[in-house]
């Protein structure tokens, strides 16, 4: 009985005959010999089909098979250092499951529009395969870190009655005749859940009607929010940097092949050590001015400012103590200077910019009401949230990490559109 195996475990079958099932990724032929690159989702392998060594049916199948056809192959596993993936299969039998029509994505360069229109097929390319696997490893290691630190996963709703991150990017929906919104972040619900579980996190889609077309903005992105009771501002920065460090180590360890495919300079990642850099907002403004930006105290950083700043650093930087008025109503004021808030953005190096936003939350009932009113939000919409400050309010802090921005940085991808399986962008929601 020939075992049916995954390509990733083929090294356990050297010299044995196995069956693999997958798709033809590449093909090269010269008369009596065909080289097929086969991928099965778990990995890639080259197979050799020699005339005379296989049945005439199998040889004819190899001749006729087209790129992206699905196939089943039996063959003997050989170790070969010269083979693109270290192993080779000497074919014994080849069966075509479905003969593919001419695949629209070829080896030549395609524009982003064409690729995005064909995202359902583009996903099969080696580069996209590698990015999606790094994404998976980031999700896995994020969960691993938070669970180890005692955070309990609490899933927060997608449909909400009020804004978490300001009203300009809200997606409104009709909830049986009532106005409702798609969630921008689960944070407010996590603040409720700490009252039950102490340390919690969520992970799910966040939706923002972003009118800007940048390489960092998606309309639908995945966010992991975490929130912890009795943890102060400095405490939550520590959680964030340890978590990001853990992600980097996990990807370096478990995604070597993927990073190689992506031609990622891993030296940059492996040289990152704890602690990360910490700069206050005011220090950052000074630094930005010296680097050529004309930004003034009081304004939030734009993408360009973040890029200028982060081309300057080799490791992540926390920018802390932003002006309270540019940040959300729930941010706690700095007790030493009430014009500034205990918030931090974690900016990724190599020009990537903000990947995490977080900070300490306001725990005082009256202050919160004032901040909600200052922003022309309706206090009534936040009645349940305000309750949390009436029944055992505690100092607490949290943050939200944008998954796609993290993936973009770790993979050094030029645009977040290739870091999510099916991107939703300004003017695009198909396929
Ligand atoms: O900085 P943001 O807006 O913070 C919050 O939503 C907080 N409520 C999170 C919290 O404290 N629990 O968003 C958090 C992160 C950003 O740092 C960024 O990485 C990502 O979410 N993000 C986006 N990613 C892709 N496309 C967008 N349009 C994004 N908007 C935010
Ligand atoms: Mg932010």
């Amino acid at each position: 009985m020939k075992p049916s195996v995954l390509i990733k475990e083929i090294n356990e079958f050297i010299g044995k005959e196995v069956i693999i099932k997958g798709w033809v990724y590449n093909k090269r032929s010269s008369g009596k010999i065909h080289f097929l690159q086969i991928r099965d989702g778990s990995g890639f392998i080259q197979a050799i089909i020699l005339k005379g060594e296989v049945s005439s049916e199998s040889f004819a199948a190899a001749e006729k098979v087209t790129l992206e056809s699905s196939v089943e192959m039996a063959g003997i596993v050989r170790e070969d250092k010269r083979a693109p993936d270290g192993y080779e299969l000497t074919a014994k039998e080849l069966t075509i499951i479905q003969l593919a029509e001419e695949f629209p994505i070829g080896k030549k360069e395609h524009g982003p529009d064409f690729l995005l229109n064909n995202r359902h097929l583009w996903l099969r390319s080696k580069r996209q395969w590698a990015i999606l696997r790094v994404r998976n490893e980031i999700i896995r290691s994020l969960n691993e870190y938070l669970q180890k630190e005692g955070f309990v996963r609490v899933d927060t709703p997608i449909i909400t009655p009020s804004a978490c991150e300001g009203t300009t990017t809200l997606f409104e929906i009709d909830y049986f005749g009532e106005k409702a919104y798609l969630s921008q972040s689960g944070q407010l619900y996590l603040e409720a859940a700490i009252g039950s579980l102490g340390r919690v996190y969520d992970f799910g889609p966040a939706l923002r009607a972003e009118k800007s077309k940048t390489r960092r903005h998606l309309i639908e992105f995945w966010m992991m929010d975490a929130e912890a009771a009795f943890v102060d501002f400095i405490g939550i920065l520590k959680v964030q940097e340890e978590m990001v460090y853990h992600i980097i180590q996990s990807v370096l360890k478990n995604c070597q092949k993927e990073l190689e495919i992506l031609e990622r300079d891993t030296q940059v990642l492996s040289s990152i050590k704890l602690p990360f850099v910490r700069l206050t907002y005011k220090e950052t403004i000074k630094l930005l001015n010296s680097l050529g930006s004309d930004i003034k105290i009081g304004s939030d950083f734009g993408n360009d400012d973040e890029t200028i700043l982060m081309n300057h650093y080799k490791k992540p930087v926390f920018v802390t103590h932003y002006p309270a008025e540019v940040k959300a109503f729930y941010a706690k004021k700095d007790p030493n200077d009430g014009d500034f808030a205990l918030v931090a953005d974690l900016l990724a190096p190599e020009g990537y910019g903000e990947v995490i936003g977080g900070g300490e939350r306001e725990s005082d009932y009256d202050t919160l009401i004032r901040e909600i009113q200052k922003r022309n939000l309706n206090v009534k919409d936040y009645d349940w949230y305000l309750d949390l400050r009436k029944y055992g309010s505690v100092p607490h802090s949290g943050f939200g990490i944008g998954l796609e921005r993290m993936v973009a940085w770790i993979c050094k991808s030029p645009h977040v559109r290739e870091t999510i399986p099916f991107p939703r962008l300004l003017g695009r929601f198909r396929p």
Side-chain angles (χ1 to χ4, degrees):
M1 235 332 242
K2 292 168 257 181
S4 198
V5 305
L6 291 176
I7 293 173
K8 74 170 163 92
E9 61 197 22
I10 212 123
N11 59 335
E12 296 163 30
F13 296 89
I14 296 167
K16 303 216 170 80
E17 187 171 347
V18 298
I19 294 172
I20 59 165
K21 293 172 190 160
W23 296 264
V24 176
Y25 180 68
N26 219 334
K27 182 178 169 181
R28 200 154 52 81
S29 305
S30 58
K32 294 191 166 62
I33 183 163
H34 296 288
F35 296 95
L36 299 186
Q37 303 272 348
I38 297 181
R39 54 173 191 84
D40 72 346
S42 81
F44 302 80
I45 194 164
Q46 173 163 284
I48 303 178
I49 299 111
L50 284 165
K51 196 166 191 166
E53 298 281 310
V54 297
S55 67
S56 55
E57 288 84 5
S58 287
F59 195 78
E63 221 152 33
K64 151 168 114 168
V65 77
T66 49
L67 294 190
E68 293 305 323
S69 290
S70 42
V71 296
E72 180 173 329
M73 176 180 281
I76 296 174
V77 182
R78 313 227 183 263
E79 195 170 9
D80 186 344
K81 294 273 178 288
R82 292 161 310 167
D85 298 285
Y87 299 92
E88 237 169 33
L89 214 55
T90 306
K92 288 280 165 205
E93 239 181 283
L94 173 70
T95 319
I96 298 173
I97 301 169
Q98 192 255 326
L99 187 68
E101 293 178 25
E102 191 181 340
F103 200 60
I105 301 178
K107 288 278 163 268
K108 67 168 174 116
E109 287 273 312
H110 294 287
D113 260 337
F114 179 83
L115 290 172
L116 286 167
N117 285 337
N118 286 287
R119 183 61 172 165
H120 51 298
L121 304 175
W122 181 27
L123 286 179
R124 301 181 184 195
S125 85
K126 214 167 187 175
R127 177 179 168 81
Q128 301 308 311
W129 175 86
I131 292 173
L132 290 181
R133 289 176 61 99
V134 171
R135 179 184 166 104
N136 173 63
E137 179 59 21
I138 292 176
I139 296 170
R140 193 201 63 75
S141 55
L142 255 172
N143 277 288
E144 179 179 74
Y145 176 81
L146 289 168
Q147 294 280 343
K148 181 170 69 71
E149 292 301 309
F151 287 79
V152 177
R153 179 163 167 169
V154 169
D155 294 311
T156 53
I158 297 286
I159 299 172
T160 67
S162 46
C164 180
E165 295 301 319
T167 50
T168 53
T169 64
L170 273 181
F171 261 113
E172 197 178 302
I173 60 164
D174 171 32
Y175 197 77
F176 308 105
E178 266 193 278
K179 248 192 220 175
Y181 308 100
L182 299 179
S183 174
Q184 300 165 304
S185 158
Q187 178 194 325
L188 305 186
Y189 294 96
L190 290 188
E191 287 186 64
I194 60 167
S196 165
L197 297 153
R199 289 178 156 215
V200 294
Y201 73 106
D202 68 6
F203 182 53
L207 295 118
R208 299 195 191 174
E210 305 270 9
K211 309 297 185 309
S212 50
K213 248 188 182 164
T214 78
R215 63 194 179 90
R216 300 176 183 168
H217 285 92
L218 289 161
I219 302 297
E220 181 178 296
F221 61 98
W222 279 63
M223 173 142 73
M224 209 257 351
D225 299 278
E227 200 70 29
F230 306 107
V231 171
D232 65 6
F233 183 55
I234 299 300
I236 206 68
L237 297 187
K238 279 198 68 172
V239 174
Q240 290 175 51
E241 65 185 1
E242 279 179 14
M243 179 185 84
V244 169
Y245 183 78
H246 179 72
I247 295 172
I248 296 171
Q249 302 317 310
S250 303
V251 173
L252 284 172
K253 179 162 167 256
N254 300 324
C255 296
Q256 286 170 12
K257 170 133 187 97
E258 291 82 352
L259 295 172
E260 201 183 297
I261 291 170
L262 297 168
E263 296 176 5
R264 179 64 162 115
D265 177 358
T266 52
Q267 187 60 39
V268 186
L269 296 175
S270 57
S271 68
I272 293 173
K273 299 280 175 305
L274 292 175
F276 294 165
V277 182
R278 288 173 200 193
L279 293 176
T280 65
Y281 169 85
K282 285 190 208 158
E283 289 166 337
T284 310
I285 295 274
K286 270 196 203 140
L287 183 57
L288 276 171
N289 290 155
S290 78
L291 292 171
S293 162
D294 55 7
I295 189 163
K296 297 191 179 54
I297 293 241
S299 33
D300 203 353
F301 303 129
N303 287 339
D304 296 344
D305 295 305
E306 288 184 12
T307 304
I308 295 174
L309 183 73
M310 295 317 290
N311 277 330
H312 201 68
Y313 283 97
K314 292 246 177 327
K315 60 155 112 172
V317 175
F318 283 113
V319 177
T320 66
H321 301 84
Y322 282 80
E325 61 188 20
V326 306
K327 292 294 179 186
F329 68 92
Y330 51 70
K332 186 177 171 68
K333 300 273 179 50
D334 178 2
N336 300 316
D337 185 348
D339 287 342
F340 295 86
L342 297 181
V343 296
D345 282 352
L346 182 68
L347 311 186
E350 301 176 84
Y352 277 91
E354 183 188 341
V355 289
I356 304 185
E360 187 162 342
R361 320 304 190 187
E362 182 52 66
S363 52
D364 178 63
Y365 181 82
D366 295 320
T367 314
L368 252 186
I369 291 204
R370 274 202 304 278
E371 292 301 321
I372 290 172
Q373 284 167 337
K374 253 197 224 166
R375 286 165 179 78
N376 293 320
L377 296 167
N378 190 352
V379 177
K380 189 98 204 31
D381 289 339
Y382 296 91
D383 51 3
W384 67 269
Y385 181 74
L386 287 158
D387 267 356
L388 306 174
R389 273 64 177 174
K390 288 201 253 176
Y391 306 105
S393 187
V394 297
H396 65 287
S397 306
F399 61 88
I401 176 170
L403 176 66
E404 289 75 16
R405 293 205 188 162
M406 191 69 193
V407 177
W409 167 44
I410 297 290
C411 293
K412 207 164 178 189
S413 159
H415 200 296
V416 285
R417 66 181 166 226
E418 63 171 357
T419 63
I420 182 163
F422 294 97
R424 270 72 185 103
L425 301 158
L426 197 60
R428 174 182 292 281
F429 61 95
R430 297 187 175 88

